[in-house]
Amino acid sequence: MTIGLVGRKVGMTRIFSDDGNTLPVTVLDVSDNRITQIKTPEKDGYAAVQVAFGKRRANRVSKPLAGHLAKAAVEAGRLLKEFRTDAKALADLKVGGKLGVELFKVGQLVDVQGVTIGKGFAGVIKRHHFGGQNASHGNSISHRVPGSTGQNQSPSHVFKGKRMPGHLGDARRTILNLEIVRIDAERQLLLVKGSVPGSKGRDVFVRTAIKGQRAIVKQQPKAAPAAGKPAAKPAAPAAKPAAPAAKPQPAAKG
């Protein structure tokens, strides 16, 4: 895995590409990611970097965490996040430093993780996209209900995992392979194509796409024949072998 950034969802807007097409983008503020700890395989058993994001008053921080941040000489933040990586990626990092948009580049694919908008208690049509029941022919106040959910006498209970009404949203989700279309290094903003889970102001985690980048494979053009020489004709197919001679039939008995 690679090092990522903690950010804040600013909102959505649109930008125009060079050919005039409009692109819907989400603006992510990834400024002020402060390194609070670097974990190494020799000391901790794995390689990772821990970052702090956001602001928090000093009197709102517990004493163990205050000592941890004081050791790194880092201002307290409202969120700590750890990104696992390989040992080689930690060579240029130091405790107390900062991470920014220089980790990414335009055109790169990233995975963005956030918490979706909570929508409270919802029925099966809104939650699971059920089609609903008939709106006529004697149906009374049962248009948007799931219908029967039980079984026969055996097993005589509802199986776990049955799609039923319940809590909708407020779940951690990850959107894969979002393309970075613009980077504002001065304001530490990432503009990614598409939508990102969560409402405005919620925290998000941005890291390099785990399923790899798009591999643009170009087909090699066929070599053209030399000037003055005709193109070689394809070889004729091999002749089929001759059919075996027919066996003589025995003479009929009189």
Side-chain angles (χ1 to χ4, degrees), residues 47 78-79 109 121 126 134 167 213 224 250-251:
R78 71 171 186 273
L79 181 65
L109 299 182
F121 189 90
K126 184 175 181 180
N134 294 333
H167 185 74
Q213 307 300 316

Side-chain angles (χ1 to χ4, degrees), residues 141-211:
I141 64 171
S142 298
H143 309 291
R144 297 176 65 88
V145 299
S148 176
T149 58
Q151 303 294 317
N152 297 329
Q153 184 175 358
S154 175
S156 69
H157 68 272
V158 179
F159 292 115
K160 290 184 178 180
K162 181 71 174 179
R163 294 185 296 173
M164 300 180 70
H167 185 74
L168 176 62
D170 194 25
R172 187 172 298 279
R173 294 291 181 266
T174 303
I175 305 298
L176 305 179
N177 296 336
L178 294 178
E179 182 184 356
I180 298 178
V181 296
R182 186 173 297 179
I183 295 177
D184 190 338
E186 181 179 356
R187 295 184 291 177
Q188 292 291 300
L189 298 178
L190 292 177
L191 277 67
V192 297
K193 182 180 178 181
S195 60
V196 169
S199 57
K200 297 179 182 179
R202 295 296 297 265
D203 296 326
V204 295
F205 306 134
V206 187
R207 56 168 59 94
T208 304
I210 60 175
K211 292 187 177 179

